């Protein structure tokens, strides 16, 4: 039997060479670069880079939305206005850094004079961070990227989007529901767009007892950017006008 940290090796699982021997063997194949233990180092580096880049960001709001929206779309216009109003209220704006409504919110933050943050993800069809990102971090792994959103955002505004947007929305709501993070506001923009989802949550999921009434009530729905930002400020800001420093741990 051999122990390797918390791992116990017996019989045929015990390697015939030592770790030093394998390290110093120049003839070894290079496929170890793609093995899971090496990926752990890459994952660790993503967390280190993300924490280092964002630790001194200050109060920030995450804005989610589709990469497929285009300039001239209603959702794009809402994104620009939301980003601008958040910036004027003293918040940095964090998006996925891509095109569409992400670009729109970053553009609004840029126009409003706040820090415009993009947390990009390595995808075969993405074109990189949009031009309005001041501070950008690219990730290989979705879960590392999500951690950065949740740790450094004081609240979320969700514009119309597809599977990626829904994934981010339900990730945030689930962590709030299970009290894994500090309570924070989630605002859905586009009442017509989100109506079907909310109707289904009430008529089917709530009716079946799978969620509670307060799980739905934590979602604020509006078409007006000013109302969205007001909902964020009502939850996050102190009565004296300063911005609360707490955020998810």
């Amino acid at each position: 039997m051999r122990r390797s940290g918390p791992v116990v090796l017996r019989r045929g699982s015990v390697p015939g060479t030592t770790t030093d021997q394998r390290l110093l063997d120049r003839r070894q194949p290079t496929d170890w670069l793609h093995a899971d233990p090496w990926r752990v180092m890459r994952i660790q580096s993503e967390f280190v880079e993300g924490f280092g880049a964002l630790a001194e960001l200050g109060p920030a709001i995450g804005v989610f939305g589709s990469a497929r929206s285009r300039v001239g779309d209603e959702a794009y216009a809402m994104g620009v206005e939301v980003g601008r109003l958040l910036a004027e209220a003293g918040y940095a704006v964090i998006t996925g850094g891509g095109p569409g409504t992400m670009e729109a919110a970053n553009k609004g933050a840029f126009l409003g004079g706040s820090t415009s943050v993009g947390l990009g993800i390595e995808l075969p069809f993405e074109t990189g961070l949009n031009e309005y990102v001041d501070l950008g971090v690219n990730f290989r792994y979705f879960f590392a990227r999500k951690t950065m959103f949740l740790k450094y955002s004081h609240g979320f505004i969700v514009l119309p989007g597809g599977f990626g947007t829904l994934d981010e929305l339900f990730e945030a709501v689930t962590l709030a529901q299970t009290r894994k993070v500090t309570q924070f506001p989630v605002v859905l923009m586009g009442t017509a767009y989100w109506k079907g989802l909310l109707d289904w949550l009430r008529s089917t999921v709530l009716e079946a007892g799978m969620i509670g009434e307060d799980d739905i009530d934590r979602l604020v729905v509006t078409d007006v950017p000013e109302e969205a930002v007001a909902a964020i400020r009502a939850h996050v800001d102190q009565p004296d006008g300063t911005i609360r420093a707490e955020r998810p741990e």
Side-chain angles (χ1 to χ4, degrees), residues 80-97:
V80 173
E81 187 65 3
V82 161
R84 184 184 67 81
L85 291 171
L86 287 171
E88 291 177 355
Y91 301 103
V93 173
I94 306 176
T95 80

Side-chain angles (χ1 to χ4, degrees), residues 61-64 76 78-84 86-87 91-120 128-136 145 149 159:
I61 302 299
V63 180
F64 301 139
Y76 191 98
M78 280 197 300
V80 173
E81 187 65 3
V82 161
R84 184 184 67 81
L86 287 171
Y91 301 103
V93 173
I94 306 176
T95 80
T101 47
M102 292 177 283
E103 175 187 290
N106 285 133
K107 180 179 179 179
F110 171 79
L111 295 174
S114 184
T115 304
S116 178
V117 182
L119 305 182
L129 298 175
N130 67 69
E131 63 179 309
Y132 298 104
V133 169
D134 299 317
L135 173 60
R145 180 182 184 236
F149 268 116
L159 292 121

Side-chain angles (χ1 to χ4, degrees), residues 30-192:
T30 59
D31 56 356
W32 62 275
L33 285 167
H34 308 290
D36 285 343
W38 181 246
R39 289 192 181 99
V40 171
M41 300 302 293
R42 287 181 172 173
I43 292 167
Q44 182 181 17
S45 73
E46 294 207 344
F47 282 105
V48 170
E49 291 291 339
F51 292 153
L54 301 174
E56 298 180 348
L57 179 62
I61 302 299
V63 180
F64 301 139
S66 175
R68 303 186 185 192
S69 297
R70 299 180 179 180
V71 177
D73 291 349
E74 182 181 1
Y76 191 98
M78 280 197 300
V80 173
E81 187 65 3
V82 161
R84 184 184 67 81
L85 291 171
L86 287 171
E88 291 177 355
Y91 301 103
V93 173
I94 306 176
T95 80
T101 47
M102 292 177 283
E103 175 187 290
N106 285 133
K107 180 179 179 179
F110 171 79
L111 295 174
S114 184
T115 304
S116 178
V117 182
L119 305 182
I121 186 69
E122 182 183 272
L123 294 174
F125 47 81
E126 287 291 355
T127 57
L129 298 175
N130 67 69
E131 63 179 309
Y132 298 104
V133 169
D134 299 317
L135 173 60
V137 184
N138 278 305
F139 294 88
R140 286 188 178 93
Y141 301 99
F142 271 111
F143 55 83
R145 180 182 184 236
K146 285 181 178 180
T147 299
M148 300 305 148
F149 268 116
L150 291 162
K151 181 170 178 59
Y152 294 106
S153 295
H154 291 68
F156 298 99
I157 294 179
V158 187
L159 292 121
F163 285 147
T165 302
L166 291 170
D167 176 55
E168 291 160 337
L169 164 61
F170 282 110
E171 176 92 5
V173 174
T174 299
L175 291 176
Q177 178 201 49
T178 55
R179 300 181 183 179
K180 289 293 186 181
V181 295
T182 306
Q183 295 294 309
F184 46 71
V186 179
V187 181
L188 305 180
M189 291 212 64
T191 54

